[in-house]
Amino acid sequence: SIAILLYLARKFKTPDHWYPSDLQKRARVDEYLSWQHVNIRGKGSKLFLTKVLVPLLTGQPLPPEKLEGVIEELNIVLTQFEEKFLQDKPFIAGSEISLADIVALVELMQPVGAGYDLFEERPKLAEWRRRVEEAVGKQLFQEAHEGILNAKNF
């Protein structure tokens, strides 16, 4: 949860870029962390549920028109994310990675795990993903997402 991440960042005095002491940068991180619950998380999880879990549980694929609606909802929040939070910056809070970037990318990997490559036609988003992966470490990133990226194979 977000509360646990913030607690851990404060308790273990992580490097400042994760949860910046600069009030403007911290406000940017907090703004994203508050926004993402019903937007990126809500729409990304909905796609994962409808494309992977519902068919797995029911034995029936979702009707294409319902899936299209879910994808459209996700694309709306992806555009908002790019325009409002990424803008022309390398990361959400500026020039360094923060908790906001980690939380965002983790949520966006759910649709990818469902077989929907939301980065394919979004170069700004794809470049941001590359920067986040590099900042965390590509191997660690792949290990952390191994389960979700294989979910569509169930």
Side-chain angles (χ1 to χ4, degrees):
S1 90
I2 300 302
I4 291 170
L5 286 175
L6 298 180
Y7 169 80
L8 292 171
R10 291 173 182 134
K11 178 174 172 75
F12 294 104
K13 298 178 179 40
T14 58
D16 191 67
H17 64 89
W18 291 115
Y19 193 56
S21 57
D22 174 273
L23 287 180
Q24 286 186 320
K25 289 180 182 177
R26 181 174 286 196
R28 194 72 171 150
V29 171
D30 289 339
E31 179 184 22
Y32 175 76
L33 294 176
S34 294
W35 177 84
Q36 63 92 28
H37 291 287
V38 295
N39 292 288
I40 296 291
R41 176 180 287 169
K43 306 309 183 216
S45 296
K46 187 175 182 180
L47 179 64
F48 184 80
L49 289 170
T50 56
K51 197 163 182 204
V52 176
L53 292 182
V54 170
L56 186 64
L57 295 172
T58 65
Q60 300 289 323
L62 196 69
E65 62 277 0
K66 282 211 176 232
L67 188 57
E68 286 174 22
V70 172
I71 290 171
E72 186 177 322
E73 289 177 2
L74 177 60
N75 280 320
I76 289 169
V77 297
L78 291 175
T79 298
Q80 291 170 346
F81 176 68
E82 288 179 318
E83 292 173 358
K84 171 76 175 151
F85 292 99
L86 289 182
Q87 298 168 342
D88 292 323
K89 302 175 304 217
F91 299 101
I92 293 171
S95 60
E96 294 182 289
I97 192 171
S98 71
L99 288 176
D101 297 287
I102 298 294
V103 169
L105 190 50
V106 164
E107 297 297 345
L108 293 176
M109 294 309 290
Q110 285 190 45
V112 173
Y116 179 66
D117 187 355
L118 52 91
F119 300 102
E120 188 174 26
E121 294 182 17
R122 293 181 174 275
K124 180 189 279 191
L125 205 58
E127 267 305 297
W128 167 78
R129 174 189 175 175
R130 183 194 57 75
R131 287 189 296 272
V132 173
E133 282 186 40
E134 285 179 4
V136 171
K138 287 186 183 253
Q139 183 176 348
L140 178 59
F141 182 85
Q142 288 302 318
E143 283 178 36
H145 293 92
E146 186 176 339
I148 198 76
L149 292 175
N150 291 319
K152 63 182 178 270
N153 296 330
F154 290 131

